[in-house]
Amino acid sequence: MLITSSIFIDFFILLVTAVYVLHIYISNKYKYWKKRGVYFPKPKPFVGNFLDVILLKKHSSEWIKDLYDQIDKDFFGVYVFDDAYFVAKDPNLIKNILVKNFSHFVNRNIASPEHSPCIAHMLFFQKGLPWKTGRSKITVALTSGKMKSMFPLLLESAENLVNFLEKNNQDVWEAKELFAKYATDVISKCFFGINSHSFENFDSKFTILRRKVFGFSFRNIFAQTIYFFKPSWVQRFKIEFVDKEVMEYFSEVFMASLKARETKNSRYSDLIDIMNELKKTKEVRVDGTDDVIFCGAALQFFFAGFETTSSAIAFTLYEFAVNVDIQKAAREEVRTVIEKYEGISNEAVNDLPYLDMCLNETLRKYPVLPFLERNCTEDFPVPNSDVVIEKGTAVLIPTLGLHLDKNLFPDPHKYDPERFRNKINTTNGLSYIPFGDGPRNCLGERFGRMAAKLALVSIINNFEVTKCSTTPIPIIIEPKCLLIESKGGLPLRFTRLH
Ligand code: HEM
């Protein structure tokens, strides 16, 4: 039935009415923080405060960091589209959220998609009780004893790395890509029980699929941003976190390794053996459901371990190339320790305080996961204020903002490992959180640190790392990625030492 005599005028009236109703709805949503007396920057219609990220003008971490720098409050509100997010800035409040009052913030805000069971079974995405059960099972696989038994596998990968560099007649390497090979080798051996052939075959299936997950693509940045910042759309539009082919391949490889190892009775001391061992000793009950949990866990290690570990190594070597004295001091320490322990052993790698300081400083300047996020699971009254974070509210913690705050870390853009000579004091809250904190912190911290240090030891003991003509100075963060990446990569020169 027509409203007027013209279909075009009817259409125009309907359009204007729809836009008006939507505008009223969104304007009401944008009153959320005002009603609660929380400061917020003025939102734009429909997109809230998120326009620069949507237009790929800013990386999400820079967006949060810029707000952190501009707003001089202990906490504030922002709008991502029409969702209200609480941003915690004060280190004491952050400690409250992550550690002291963890029971109010058990879950991450990220989507946990029912249509993608393996992703939904990864710890990072899990919520509530399934997360708690999954975490306690998987933690058993990463105790210091189990880590020690994985050391020979890690060492083998570090040797493969050195051999690869020696064999190839090339001195300039894209560091991120080079250490992705190493991380592929380490993780496929330790968590999948297979050889990825990443050093032998430039385009092994593992490498191709890794690029599909972590390479720059509009599909990836769109899907991954929606998972983190608009989780309600994930279920509604059945959005996949990564390409289905990737998930299917890794699930098949992992389950096949688990089954094959069960029958062959071989021993590699990797996650596969550890899981089969756990099955036998009934330390955990393994049935059909647990298979999915374990599959999620193995894939979780792939997702959580690859990028983080390879970035930590590549950024450290970048800083070593720019700060030659620091590289020299780190090499001297490494060589003294190798002499003391007569080789590279688990004990030797754990006896490198200066290299630890360097890695800490790298993760301060480049926290690979540049923000943390939680969802409030129980109303939480913010201490020393009248504000209550209501159940269901998304909470953001701006790691990059904290790490580059000149009041917390003077001269924050300077690479200075000496900041970490003494242990960071956490009595006044949490300001250094590259691995998160509290019961939901990074489960692979020890593994990640060990793998990164072993690669650094092997490289600086054998090679001088220097800038080349294309090394970017300073680094610009690539906005088309979720994690911190250098725009234009990290090309570095590796010269063999004698
Ligand atoms: C330098 C390397 C790494 C960095 C900087 C890093 C950083 C992080 C951060 C910031 C989180 C979120 C913590 C939070 O929300 O409080 C996280 C979670 C996690 N990471 Fe790592 N990570 C690294 C390596 C690894 C590795 C090698 C593994 C696996 C072996 C791993 C497994 C995990 C898992 C399973 C979670 C989710 C924990 C949970 O929700 O209970 N990470 N990581």
Side-chain angles (χ1 to χ4, degrees):
M1 197 179 73
L2 293 177
I3 306 169
T4 65
S5 52
S6 159
I7 191 162
F8 295 109
I9 297 177
D10 275 14
F11 178 73
F12 183 70
I13 292 173
L14 274 175
L15 190 70
V16 169
T17 313
V19 171
Y20 180 71
V21 170
L22 203 60
H23 174 69
I24 298 290
Y25 169 78
I26 301 243
S27 306
N28 273 329
K29 284 245 176 184
Y30 289 162
K31 287 184 182 145
Y32 185 87
W33 289 125
K34 195 170 180 197
K35 277 189 198 155
R36 283 154 187 83
V38 174
Y39 176 84
F40 63 98
K42 197 168 181 274
K44 293 212 162 40
F46 305 112
V47 290
N49 304 105
F50 210 51
L51 185 64
D52 285 345
V53 181
I54 298 170
L55 297 179
L56 295 180
K57 274 195 190 159
K58 271 187 194 171
H59 189 273
S60 50
S61 62
E62 283 182 313
W63 165 70
I64 307 169
K65 182 195 172 298
D66 288 352
L67 291 168
Y68 175 103
D69 289 343
Q70 286 154 17
I71 302 171
D72 188 18
K73 306 262 178 210
D74 287 348
F75 55 85
F76 53 91
V78 287
Y79 293 98
V80 173
F81 299 103
D82 55 340
D83 289 343
Y85 276 64
F86 180 92
V87 185
K89 192 174 156 176
D90 170 47
N92 253 315
L93 177 57
I94 292 172
K95 191 171 177 179
N96 261 304
I97 292 170
L98 295 180
V99 188
K100 287 193 191 158
N101 292 286
F102 173 73
S103 61
H104 294 252
F105 301 94
V106 179
N107 295 337
R108 291 206 172 84
N109 195 55
I110 194 166
S112 187
E114 279 168 26
H115 58 274
S116 199
C118 226
I119 288 274
H121 275 94
M122 291 184 190
L123 286 184
F124 199 89
F125 296 78
Q126 276 185 315
K127 319 266 180 212
L129 195 61
W131 163 74
K132 209 172 163 203
T133 320
R135 175 135 181 158
S136 68
K137 285 181 180 179
I138 301 303
T139 302
V140 183
L142 283 166
T143 58
S144 50
K146 308 274 190 220
M147 283 282 315
K148 208 172 167 184
S149 65
M150 285 188 201
F151 188 81
L153 295 173
L154 286 155
L155 190 59
E156 197 179 282
S157 297
E159 284 163 4
N160 287 345
L161 170 69
V162 173
N163 290 340
F164 175 79
L165 282 172
E166 276 173 348
K167 261 199 295 195
N168 281 279
N169 200 11
Q170 177 179 336
D171 59 351
V172 171
W173 288 93
E174 162 44 48
K176 190 61 199 308
E177 190 61 27
L178 179 65
F179 295 105
K181 281 180 183 299
Y182 167 75
T184 308
D185 207 46
V186 165
I187 290 180
S188 55
K189 271 195 200 122
C190 292
F191 298 123
F192 289 77
I194 61 166
N195 186 345
S196 67
H197 302 286
S198 60
F199 284 111
E200 299 136 48
N201 180 355
F202 202 80
D203 281 326
S204 71
K205 179 117 186 180
F206 238 83
T207 306
I208 293 170
L209 294 182
R210 175 184 59 74
R211 288 201 198 112
K212 272 203 169 179
V213 181
F214 299 112
F216 303 151
S217 81
F218 284 103
R219 186 241 166 260
N220 280 357
I221 190 63
F222 169 77
Q224 293 164 9
T225 305
I226 297 294
Y227 264 72
F228 274 94
F229 289 103
K230 197 65 185 161
S232 59
W233 289 358
V234 169
Q235 204 58 41
R236 195 170 308 152
F237 302 110
K238 303 249 179 306
I239 299 171
E240 298 289 346
F241 192 70
V242 289
D243 211 300
K244 265 199 157 150
E245 185 202 350
V246 178
M247 297 306 296
E248 280 161 14
Y249 173 77
F250 285 114
S251 308
E252 272 168 31
V253 168
F254 180 68
M255 294 318 290
S257 286
L258 201 64
K259 298 248 151 55
R261 199 69 69 75
E262 236 175 359
T263 47
K264 271 193 197 152
N265 224 1
S266 53
R267 302 222 25 88
Y268 292 93
S269 300
D270 56 16
L271 187 77
I272 309 271
D273 268 353
I274 290 164
M275 285 184 177
N276 279 327
E277 204 178 293
L278 291 175
K279 278 202 231 175
K280 276 189 222 144
T281 58
K282 301 272 184 279
E283 223 174 306
V284 292
R285 187 180 53 84
V286 178
D287 53 23
T289 326
D290 286 322
D291 274 359
V292 184
I293 292 176
F294 282 153
C295 187
L299 289 172
Q300 165 69 69
F301 290 162
F302 164 71
F303 283 104
F306 268 131
E307 278 301 282
T308 47
T309 308
S310 51
S311 286
I313 304 166
F315 280 124
T316 306
L317 290 176
Y318 167 83
E319 288 292 350
F320 281 1
V322 176
N323 301 282
V324 282
D325 289 347
I326 296 177
Q327 178 175 174
K328 209 170 143 213
R331 180 173 299 112
E332 267 165 30
E333 183 191 58
V334 162
R335 290 188 164 175
T336 310
V337 164
I338 291 178
E339 209 177 295
K340 177 175 162 192
Y341 291 91
E342 294 170 359
I344 303 174
S345 61
N346 189 35
E347 291 68 29
V349 177
N350 282 320
D351 192 9
L352 292 163
Y354 189 69
L355 197 62
D356 278 325
M357 287 158 59
C358 294
L359 195 54
N360 286 342
E361 177 65 343
T362 301
L363 293 171
R364 179 192 67 79
K365 264 189 95 175
Y366 314 100
V368 189
L369 194 63
F371 58 86
L372 303 178
E373 45 99 26
R374 296 288 187 267
N375 188 282
C376 178
T377 41
E378 212 178 294
D379 282 3
F380 177 70
V382 177
N384 310 319
S385 83
D386 299 329
V387 173
V388 171
I389 307 178
E390 290 176 336
K391 185 176 170 179
T393 309
V395 175
L396 281 175
I397 293 165
T399 310
L400 188 66
L402 290 160
H403 286 193
L404 296 181
D405 182 336
K406 63 178 185 316
N407 298 315
L408 299 168
F409 300 96
D411 202 357
H413 294 283
K414 182 174 176 201
Y415 186 79
D416 181 10
E418 290 303 321
R419 297 175 206 273
F420 292 92
R421 181 134 327 254
N422 300 316
K423 216 170 169 258
I424 291 255
N425 181 355
T426 56
T427 41
N428 292 328
L430 297 175
S431 49
Y432 179 68
I433 42 173
F435 293 96
D437 211 319
R440 253 207 120 139
N441 69 345
C442 173
L443 189 65
E445 173 170 355
R446 225 179 334 197
F447 184 89
R449 280 186 185 277
M450 173 64 85
K453 271 166 59 183
L454 199 47
L456 291 170
V457 165
S458 307
I459 291 292
I460 59 173
N461 186 36
N462 293 296
F463 298 89
E464 175 92 54
V465 184
T466 47
K467 295 175 278 184
C468 62
S469 59
T470 47
T471 306
I473 300 178
I475 285 178
I476 296 172
I477 297 179
E478 170 59 68
K480 292 196 290 303
C481 287
L482 196 68
L483 303 179
I484 292 213
E485 297 261 359
S486 157
K487 197 172 182 166
L490 291 172
L492 296 173
R493 172 166 284 116
F494 295 78
T495 312
R496 188 74 170 98
L497 291 165
H498 297 287

